[in-house]
Structures are given as structure tokens and as C-alpha cells.
Amino acid sequence: MRTQVAIIGAGPAGLFLGHLLQRAGVDAVILERKDRAYVEGRVRAGVLEQVTVDLMERLGLDARMRREGLVHGGTNLASDGEVFRIDMAELTGGSTVMVYGQQEVMKDLFDAAETRGVPIVFDARNVALHDIDGDHPYVTWEKGGLEQRLDCDVVAGCDGYHGVSRGAIPAAVQRTFERVYPFGWLGVLAEVPPCDHELIYCNHERGFALASMRSPTRSRYYIQCSLDEDIADWSDARFWDELCLRLGPEAASRVTRGPSFEKTIAPLRSFVTEPMRHGRLFLAGDAAHIVPPTGAKGMNLAVSDVVMLSEALIEHFQENSAAGIDGYSARALARVWKAERFSWWFTSLTHRFPDRDGFDRKMQLAELAYIKSSRAAQVTLAENYVGLPLV
Ligand code: RFL
Ligand code: PHB
């Protein structure tokens, strides 16, 4: 088998890239380790920046998102129960975000891949990259007990943080930067109306909490927890009690409790590997960088990477120019680092750090009070939250 671009991974990065290349007439094949139900079933991102909304529209995949997604012009910060609103639309000259779950985005992308003929190989086991330093790279994998081979011009490593692509880059030419946070997020989905029509990010002395949603009838809530927490110790009743304590009496009075149908703990990490290209391998999305979820940047960064990568690859194949692919890593990383900074800052502002003392907490509260009183600080938060432009 031969193609121009072998894409490893059918998460948001791989699927969006596959669609962008197909639209431009560049051949690509996507290799995914799992099956469609698994990838689509993972409960992850909830908030789409304008870049992601624009891309859904550009690909003609926005009809259901426009119908079912929720446009948010504001978001809320709370400290010790007192909630204040950041009017993002007013502060940024009209920018908003869209609440539309990653699971819905994936469904739309998979459905369209079927009807438009974007080739995806599911259940591709033991994917391995070969000769990415040379002129004739290829990828091998196993399916149904048979070894398969795909020759290609370039490989796009879109296989997430635990994928194989990043590891194909020699350690000697790779630099990684990392911060592991000493806590995780315990997340719950429940078929109950959200407590607010927008999100609430809470700093509380017992730890961070986030009130989010998937629809007017489905809530997504998170609370900060320790990393050694056993999920079995978190009955629904205990979760709702702790959430309500942290949200404070006003927001808590609007919380509708109900049985959870998803409950997981996710660790928090900041991570970047540089460069995002080695030879004929290009990394995109979580394969190259991770942000803590505070600020909802992860999937949106995967999207901005593949928008840039698709432009570079299309230029390469259609105009026989190397300028775009040579500039890809630096261009993508410039935006990645700004999102890393925002996600790290927002995490630092809102979470309880077990190793820090009363002074650090006072600094958090002072900064929250400053944001509340300063339009300049609110503009800074708002323009980062809705997403920085692609340059
Ligand atoms: P993904 O989604 O991990 O997809 C990678 C795909 O590659 C496959 N794969 C392989 N395939 C072949 N061979 C191999 N050896 C392979 N190894 C892996 C995997 O099966 C998978 O299908 O990476 P991608 O495409 O870069 O997308 C990244 C996003 O999924 C991620 O950044 C977001 O989910 C992060 N995130 C959020 N992002 C937002 O933009 N807004 C949010 O509100 C938001 N909330 C979140 C989040 C992530 C969370 N968790 C659980 C990590 C909330 C949470 C709790
Ligand atoms: C979510 O709804 O899953 C969500 C929303 C905002 C975040 C992170 C996650 O910052």
C-alpha cells in the first residue's frame, strides 16, 4: 500500500488532518490502534475555541454543532463561594466559545470520513515507524494476525501522549519540558440540568471545582482530588456533597443531583516536546504536548496544530515547496507555548497545592480580587480563554 501521508491515530488531530488533506486532494491513510466505539466513547473535551468552530464550518461539518452546541459569551470565576462573571464577548469584541463535547465532534468526523471516503484502518496493532530520517519512510502494523505495510512520503504522528510516534524521534535531538501537578480531577457526567447557563471555575480552600455541561440536560462536574484517591471511595452522594461545598451556597442551591453515569480521575500535566518535526515525521496534538484541562485548551491546540500542518503539507505536495514544512514546528510551538502558559497559570490560580502555605493562598485570592476589579486583567483572561489567533 502507498499513500502520501500516513497519519497515526484517529483522535481529533488525526481525523481533522485526514479531512483537511482529503479536501485538498492529498492522499492520506489513518491508522488507529482501537476501534471507532472506543475512540468516540472517551469523555474528554467540552469547550471549542473559535479555531475549532471555524474548522468544523470550513469542513462543512457544523450543522449539528450549530443546532445542538451552546454558545457561551461568558465564563465565571468563584473564590470561596462568591461568583463573578467574565464577559468574554464584551471584553474581546465579540468572541465566544462553543460547548459541544469532543465525543460529538468525533462522531461528526467519523460519520463524514465514511461518507467522504477518508480511509481509516481501525484495530491496527503494533504500529511502527521506519526510516523517518530517510527519503522513503514506511509504517508497519498488524491486523488480524497479518503484518501490513504502508509506504508514504511523510508520517503525521497524531497518536496522543501514549502513542509511538514521539518515541521514534532520537532522544539526542529531542528536548522535553514537563510539570506534573500533585493532584488530579475527579470528573462526573450526570443526566441533570447544569447549575448555571455558563461554566464556573472555583477556587476553594478545599480544592478546585468546575461546573460544566454537555447540554441543557447533561452536566459535567469536576473536583480536584489527590492522585492516590480510590474512585470506589467516591459514592455519588459524597461527590455531590463535596462539589456543593466548593461551589458555595448560591451556586450549590442550583445544583440538581442525580446518578452519575461516568466517573473518572484524570492526572494533570504540562508537557512539551521540541521540535515537533524530525525528518519526515511531524507531530501534532497530544503526541507533542499536554496541558492541564483548566482552560480547555487540549483539543483546540490539536486543531490549531493540524490546521498549520495541513497548510504546510498541501504547499509541499502541490507547490513542491519545503518552506511550510520547514517552518511548521516553530510556528506550531509559538502558539503551543502560549496555551501552555495560560493553562499553567489558570491551574495555579485555581487549585489547592498541598505543598504550599497560607501565603500562596493569599496570593491566589489577591489575584482573583484583582481580576474582579481590573478590566485589563479580565481582557487578558478572556482573550486567552476564547483562544489566541492562528498566526
Ligand atoms: P488523542 O485524543 O489522545 O488521540 C490519539 C489517538 O491515537 C490513538 N493511538 C494510536 N493509534 C495507532 N497506533 C498507536 N500506537 C497509537 N497510540 C495511540 C489513540 O487510540 C487515539 O485514538 O490525541 P489528539 O488527537 O491529539 O487530541 C487531543 C485531545 O483529545 C485532548 O487534548 C483533549 O481531550 C484534552 N481535553 C480538553 N481539550 C479541550 O480542548 N477542551 C476541553 O474542555 C478539554 N477537557 C481534556 C478535557 C482532556 C481530559 N482528559 C481525560 C485527558 C478534560 C479531560 C478530563
Ligand atoms: C468539560 O466540560 O469537560 C471541561 C470544560 C472546561 C474545562 C475543562 C473541561 O476547562
Side-chain angles (χ1 to χ4, degrees), residues 44-47 185 199 201 210 212-214 220 222 293-296:
R44 287 179 154 195
V47 179
W185 278 18
L199 274 60
Y201 290 87
L210 170 60
S212 182
M213 67 196 71
R214 288 291 176 273
R220 178 71 163 154
Y222 297 96
T294 333

Side-chain angles (χ1 to χ4, degrees), residues 1-196:
M1 236 201 302
R2 179 168 174 86
T3 190
Q4 289 175 297
V5 184
I7 301 175
I8 320 295
L15 274 183
F16 272 120
L17 181 63
H19 277 283
L20 281 163
L21 294 178
Q22 198 230 19
R23 228 170 107 265
V26 174
D27 275 348
V29 175
I30 306 176
L31 304 173
E32 166 58 48
R33 183 172 54 178
K34 303 283 189 176
D35 61 17
R36 173 176 170 167
Y38 176 89
V39 179
E40 211 176 289
R42 288 182 303 198
V43 180
R44 287 179 154 195
V47 179
L48 311 185
E49 290 177 356
Q50 197 63 45
V51 279
T52 306
V53 171
D54 288 349
L55 180 57
M56 294 285 281
E57 184 176 305
R58 189 140 66 89
L59 292 171
L61 295 175
D62 58 324
R64 194 164 71 94
M65 176 186 74
R66 301 277 179 208
R67 264 196 328 271
E68 298 176 13
L70 307 170
V71 175
H72 283 193
T75 195
N76 299 281
L77 294 181
S79 56
D80 286 341
E82 197 193 320
V83 180
F84 63 99
R85 181 170 189 266
I86 307 287
D87 190 340
M88 300 181 305
E90 192 272 322
L91 292 158
T92 59
S95 296
T96 56
V97 295
M98 175 78 79
V99 172
Y100 189 65
Q102 181 166 332
Q103 290 175 289
E104 309 309 321
V105 174
M106 295 308 290
K107 182 175 188 319
D108 296 339
L109 288 167
F110 277 128
D111 283 352
E114 260 174 41
T115 53
R116 297 175 187 185
V118 175
I120 308 175
V121 178
F122 290 104
D123 299 308
R125 302 297 151 118
N126 295 326
V127 168
L129 283 56
H130 307 272
D131 291 350
I132 52 168
D133 274 327
D135 289 337
H136 304 288
Y138 63 99
V139 181
T140 55
W141 70 96
E142 284 159 29
K143 181 157 176 164
L146 295 176
E147 170 104 356
Q148 315 268 342
R149 171 174 170 145
L150 178 64
D151 291 280
C152 55
D153 297 306
V154 301
V155 179
C158 300
D159 46 352
Y161 183 67
H162 299 288
V164 290
S165 300
R166 192 175 63 251
I169 302 178
V173 297
Q174 216 182 124
R175 283 196 73 190
T176 59
F177 303 86
E178 187 168 34
R179 173 74 33 103
V180 178
Y181 299 87
F183 40 72
W185 278 18
L186 169 59
V188 153
L189 264 179
E191 206 58 41
V192 291
C195 67
D196 196 282

